[in-house]
Amino acid sequence: CCKEEFPIFLGFCQTDSPLRFSDGRARWRNLLVLLPPARPSSPPTDDEAALPTDEVVAPLGFALDATQQLVLELLPEHARAPLYTLDEAALGRPLADVFFLPPSSA
């Protein structure tokens, strides 16, 4: 259904997909999550001892608009519209991949 609307074949994830391509949604598909710094496993220094130890720092999440100039500059020319694919390495060392899978029907 969607090959005519989206001219680039994405392989398995596109085969028999009922989803239609939306440029407005695709440009927001790059997510950035900033994790808090890891706590050191060694005993705290005198400077670190003054910091609260029970403070929980939540990760921060952002959806990047791939049409904005600052984000667009991170996208290689071949990965711009309609793919809007930001390579993780453009932001530093990649740590993990996240897959959103549908719930099991079992």
Side-chain angles (χ1 to χ4, degrees), residues 33-39 55-60 95:
V33 177
L34 301 177
L35 303 174
R39 294 180 187 247
E55 181 179 330
V56 176
V57 180
L60 299 173
L95 298 178

Side-chain angles (χ1 to χ4, degrees), residues 8-16:
I8 299 168
F9 181 65
L10 299 177
F12 177 76
C13 62
Q14 182 182 6
T15 303
D16 297 326

Side-chain angles (χ1 to χ4, degrees), residues 56-76:
V56 176
V57 180
L60 299 173
F62 303 90
L64 305 178
D65 181 353
T67 61
Q68 295 301 308
Q69 190 61 36
L70 290 174
V71 178
L72 197 58
E73 290 174 9
L74 296 171
L75 300 176

Side-chain angles (χ1 to χ4, degrees), residues 1-50:
C1 97
C2 301
K3 188 169 181 161
E4 296 78 31
E5 294 178 33
F6 190 69
I8 299 168
F9 181 65
L10 299 177
F12 177 76
C13 62
Q14 182 182 6
T15 303
D16 297 326
S17 173
L19 300 176
R20 300 206 178 279
F21 176 75
S22 165
D23 189 74
R25 289 187 179 192
R27 69 184 218 183
W28 290 94
R29 73 184 205 89
N30 293 289
L31 304 176
L32 173 65
V33 177
L34 301 177
L35 303 174
R39 294 180 187 247
S41 57
S42 59
T45 64
D46 290 339
D47 292 333
E48 294 170 337

